[in-house]
Amino acid sequence: MGLRALGRLQAFQTRLHDQALARLPRLQALPGVHILHDGPAASGTWPSFLMLCPDAAAAERILHTWWGAGAGVSRMFAHALTDYDYLRPWLSWRATPAARDLAARLVVISNSHWLDDARFEGLHAGLRAALLRAG
């Protein structure tokens, strides 16, 4: 099964890449966000977008509305690694304010082919509204 699917992989990756490049400017234009993306000499496969929100409250507003709505919006990290007690034996504990900030502000947005253009437009409008709405 995997061998048969391998023949479709390049076309699938190209489609996701092209879809991402079309959607990237729209996401980058959202107020106050930073979309993590490829460097100048790189070309990723773009299964999702990583959107750094201006603050944790904006990320929470987005997640409150869109997590579980079937639009492919989720968190990348629930917490910074040092905040998981079960990992403490393997980590040297120290304050990690930047990691906590990243975990609180980073939102994942799917670039799946299931998120068609019409659903993406609805999501984009919802993201914009959540970002413009103050706490």
Side-chain angles (χ1 to χ4, degrees):
M1 194 159 144
L3 186 57
R4 280 196 267 162
L6 187 59
R8 299 188 307 268
L9 181 59
Q10 183 61 48
F12 174 77
Q13 289 177 329
T14 298
R15 181 175 166 209
L16 280 185
H17 183 263
D18 292 348
Q19 179 174 280
L21 291 182
R23 293 176 176 180
L24 182 60
R26 305 276 324 281
L27 292 171
Q28 288 174 317
L30 289 169
V33 303
H34 177 75
I35 307 297
L36 306 179
H37 57 85
D38 294 336
S43 180
T45 56
W46 292 93
S48 58
F49 297 97
L50 300 178
M51 182 173 78
L52 190 59
C53 294
D55 53 50
E60 285 300 321
R61 287 191 302 275
I62 290 166
L63 291 165
H64 178 76
T65 302
W66 291 100
W67 195 344
V73 175
S74 63
R75 281 203 179 278
M76 182 64 126
F77 310 106
H79 306 285
L81 285 177
T82 55
D83 291 337
Y84 290 96
D85 288 337
Y86 74 93
L87 293 176
R88 290 210 175 196
W90 296 279
L91 300 173
S92 57
W93 193 92
R94 65 171 81 78
T96 57
R100 285 186 181 124
D101 180 63
L102 180 68
R105 295 173 46 211
L106 196 63
V107 173
V108 177
I109 300 171
S110 175
N111 186 40
S112 168
H113 63 277
W114 286 299
L115 184 63
D116 62 22
D117 288 341
R119 290 190 65 157
F120 176 78
E121 289 305 319
L123 173 59
H124 183 270
L127 294 172
R128 183 172 189 70
L131 289 162
L132 291 173
R133 191 173 63 239

